[in-house]
Amino acid sequence: MTFLNIINHLKENTSKIISEKGYDNVDFVVEYSRSGFGDITCNVAFLLAKNLKKNPQEVAQEFVGEYNLGNDLEKVEAHKSGYLNFFINNNSFTNTVLPESLKENYGSVDIGKNSKLIVEHTSVNPNKALHIGHLRNVAIGDAVSRILSKANYDVKVLNYVDDSGLQVADIIVGFKYGGFSESPPTGEKFADYCGDTVYVNITSKYESDKDLESKRHEILKELEDSTSETAKFGKTLTRKILSDQLDTAWNFGASYDCLNFESEILYSKLWEKIFERIKSENLVRLEDQGDNVGCWVLPIENEDDKIIVRSNGAATYVAKDIPYAAWKLGVVNDPFNYAKYTTQPNGRILYETTLEETQVPKQSFAANKVITVIDNRQTNLQKIVTNLMSKFNPESSYVHLGYEAVTLSSDTAKILGNKTNGKDVQMSGRKGLYINADEIIEKLEKHIFLESKGRNDDLDDASLNEIAHNVAVGTIRYELIKPDLGKIITFDINTSLKLEGDTCSYIQYSCVRAARILEKFGNEPNFDVQFDQLNTEYETNLIKQIGLFEVFVNDAAKNYSPKVIAKYCYDLAVAFSSFYEHVNVLKADTPELINARICLVLSFKLTLEKALNLIGIIAPQRM
């Protein structure tokens, strides 16, 4: 049994003991122990002690003799605090875990039961290129989708394209009335040009040029008419920008299942249908007095009512999100047809919504469980949408997975050619203060290429470029994923590339070390043996970390938390580094021991590769 199986078995046994003793049910926890007091710990006795009017250790002692240890556990002890501490049988555990780790699906858990689940992420306004702040969204969303797939959910990934909003209107104003050429300077991407030049310059003129600002609102209105020349022009512009954005996301290792265009939602009249339903179910009310007279408002418990349709009949920003959320949950009939947008670099087909007839069979991109990755500035809006969706379908789950912003350290900003005055860089697309995602990936790749070339003079440039790309992307992903979602990140190139400490380079390098050992061994290890000889503390600690993979996958999937996997990768690398420093593999005393240790090295390498893959990081064979 792996750790998760043992933990689940102990949970069942503990519940059975509680029932047999006639004790009240308590919300106890069985989990692996970081304290060093056993391998697994349970707080059941501590929780029961108060009602039983007994000392916690006394209650724990009552439970000790009730467990059927079998082959999986060595012993169980009652700690003086009242916690039950379980010690696994190392030999039995090792002989189970190492062969299991060879399986392709090792670490998989069955939380989802193959049920459908939607993850929406990226969803950047199509008026600019992606910057590093957007990459945090991509890294989180992509990792969550990978983790939930590992937990046996049928995951579909969506990317929402707001091609009818103010930012698109701004780009059109720039081209139609701002005097900007529709072709970028030679060598500059269209998305970069639109965001860095057209958008920044045109928005800075609105305050001083009211006529220009009125043009903006005219264009915004014209975008609502699919037959207008403005709408057709906007579609051409946004698709060119979107193409550049997707290239960046694919280069970063992300992929999607469907592009959802806001304009298609607008033209489908989905909002009108949803609005009628909201009114018929008395979820909104028409104000007949006060400041909001003539407006339709959505009552929010313990908060001010929210206007969703103004007295002039215009839907507010909040209202734009409601039909899309309802569509994702499948609580409305799907009005769309689907077209194939492209086949992505990883071979995954990317579809797009359309109202035109197509030859593509009807697709299904709706589920009873939806996770939307959006930064915390949208928290209040998402609370409103989530609240309304729960009324549409009380059995559904609509989750806003929020996160905080990314800043750049002053040193990193300098490396990338930005003036900082010694301060960290706070990014703003409107002001043009941000670090382009392509730029930071490229700069990191060049930096890593030179370092790798110095260590690997036998490799050609193609191999070095592949290493540089995998390490650069891994470095950025890890730095964006490992902190708490609610923490503002200050990204620093120099710190993140260190080969020691909690960095992706340190983790990837541990995999490289394992690869070199296996390369020197030169043969396939034999796993059809007993591994009783693997009994040093460094070996058993590493084996336990390998056996914990399912526990961390389970935790990460239940809490939508990629940082849990990042922490596991680091812990696993630390355990291997300690093993590497203290245990001789290729010069062990006997051929049998050499084989056993080689099996352990391979088991570690395969497990780390699987774990890193869950957060979108490739483990290189050389660095």
Side-chain angles (χ1 to χ4, degrees), residues 231-263:
K232 293 174 184 177
F233 182 54
K235 184 175 183 178
T236 300
L237 292 178
T238 55
R239 283 182 173 265
K240 288 173 68 176
I241 295 169
L242 174 63
S243 177
D244 286 344
Q245 290 180 345
L246 289 173
D247 282 341
T248 302
W250 293 331
N251 189 44
F252 197 55
S255 60
Y256 312 88
D257 291 297
C258 189
L259 300 172
N260 307 101
F261 291 91
E262 183 177 275
S263 59

Side-chain angles (χ1 to χ4, degrees), residues 546-606:
I546 293 169
L548 280 168
F549 188 25
E550 285 182 344
V551 174
F552 279 82
V553 172
N554 190 69
D555 185 8
K558 286 185 174 179
N559 295 290
Y560 313 131
S561 180
K563 76 166 188 174
V564 169
I565 300 299
K567 179 68 169 65
Y568 174 72
C569 291
Y570 175 68
D571 288 347
L572 186 57
V574 168
F576 179 77
S577 296
S578 183
F579 165 84
Y580 181 86
E581 290 170 11
H582 294 94
V583 176
N584 198 322
V585 177
L586 297 175
K587 294 183 180 179
D589 293 339
T590 67
E592 291 77 17
L593 185 55
I594 291 174
N595 176 74
R597 288 177 175 170
I598 285 291
C599 288
L600 177 53
V601 172
L602 179 57
S603 175
F604 156 76
K605 180 175 177 289
L606 293 174

Side-chain angles (χ1 to χ4, degrees), residues 399-420:
V399 177
H400 167 221
L401 192 61
Y403 61 93
E404 283 295 344
V406 180
T407 64
L408 293 172
S409 71
S410 58
D411 288 343
T412 298
K414 285 180 184 176
I415 290 172
L416 296 172
N418 291 264
K419 294 179 180 179
T420 68

Side-chain angles (χ1 to χ4, degrees), residues 323-612:
Y324 180 47
W327 174 82
K328 286 186 287 186
L329 278 177
V331 297
V332 291
N333 291 329
D334 185 357
F336 303 116
N337 296 315
Y338 295 88
K340 178 182 175 181
Y341 181 86
T342 192
T343 298
Q344 298 165 96
N346 65 355
R348 188 174 180 176
I349 294 176
L350 176 60
Y351 295 95
E352 62 173 294
T353 54
T354 179
L355 294 173
E356 298 176 2
E357 293 294 328
T358 71
Q359 298 300 311
V360 175
K362 186 78 170 181
Q363 303 295 307
S364 176
F365 296 107
N368 206 38
K369 186 184 288 286
V370 174
I371 299 168
T372 304
V373 183
I374 307 178
D375 73 54
N376 282 337
R377 290 173 297 179
Q378 298 267 0
T379 297
N380 289 335
L381 168 62
Q382 290 303 310
K383 281 182 180 177
I384 294 168
V385 175
T386 299
N387 178 269
L388 186 57
M389 292 305 106
S390 68
K391 292 176 180 177
F392 275 169
N393 183 1
E395 302 301 318
S396 67
S397 174
Y398 195 88
V399 177
H400 167 221
L401 192 61
Y403 61 93
E404 283 295 344
V406 180
T407 64
L408 293 172
S409 71
S410 58
D411 288 343
T412 298
K414 285 180 184 176
I415 290 172
L416 296 172
N418 291 264
K419 294 179 180 179
T420 68
N421 298 320
K423 297 180 180 179
D424 295 342
V425 176
Q426 302 282 341
M427 290 179 286
S428 167
R430 185 173 292 277
K431 296 178 181 178
L433 298 175
Y434 59 86
I435 302 301
N436 182 284
D438 291 329
E439 180 184 0
I440 198 166
I441 293 173
E442 183 181 347
K443 290 284 180 68
L444 267 176
E445 286 177 340
K446 288 180 178 179
H447 182 81
I448 295 162
F449 179 92
L450 294 175
E451 288 197 351
S452 297
K453 191 175 182 69
R455 290 193 294 264
N456 301 279
D457 56 8
D458 60 320
L459 294 181
D460 58 25
D461 283 0
S463 298
L464 290 168
N465 280 325
E466 183 179 359
I467 291 170
H469 176 71
N470 290 337
V471 175
V473 169
T475 295
I476 297 170
R477 276 183 175 259
Y478 191 74
E479 293 300 310
L480 298 178
I481 284 173
K482 73 175 181 179
D484 290 333
L485 294 182
K487 181 181 178 182
I488 295 176
I489 295 175
T490 300
F491 183 83
D492 184 90
I493 286 178
N494 294 322
T495 300
S496 62
L497 286 174
K498 289 181 179 179
L499 290 177
E500 65 276 345
D502 190 3
T503 68
C504 186
S505 293
Y506 170 77
I507 296 168
Q508 288 176 314
Y509 192 62
S510 71
C511 200
V512 170
R513 282 177 159 177
R516 294 303 294 271
I517 292 172
L518 295 168
E519 182 183 329
K520 288 178 181 179
F521 181 67
N523 296 308
E524 288 291 324
N526 177 20
F527 277 79
D528 191 21
V529 296
Q530 293 296 301
F531 295 101
D532 299 0
Q533 296 179 77
L534 300 178
N535 51 29
T536 69
E537 64 174 294
Y538 308 105
E539 291 163 328
T540 56
N541 285 342
L542 179 55
I543 292 163
K544 287 175 183 177
Q545 282 297 323
I546 293 169
L548 280 168
F549 188 25
E550 285 182 344
V551 174
F552 279 82
V553 172
N554 190 69
D555 185 8
K558 286 185 174 179
N559 295 290
Y560 313 131
S561 180
K563 76 166 188 174
V564 169
I565 300 299
K567 179 68 169 65
Y568 174 72
C569 291
Y570 175 68
D571 288 347
L572 186 57
V574 168
F576 179 77
S577 296
S578 183
F579 165 84
Y580 181 86
E581 290 170 11
H582 294 94
V583 176
N584 198 322
V585 177
L586 297 175
K587 294 183 180 179
D589 293 339
T590 67
E592 291 77 17
L593 185 55
I594 291 174
N595 176 74
R597 288 177 175 170
I598 285 291
C599 288
L600 177 53
V601 172
L602 179 57
S603 175
F604 156 76
K605 180 175 177 289
L606 293 174
T607 303
L608 182 58
E609 288 172 346
K610 290 182 178 73
L612 285 172

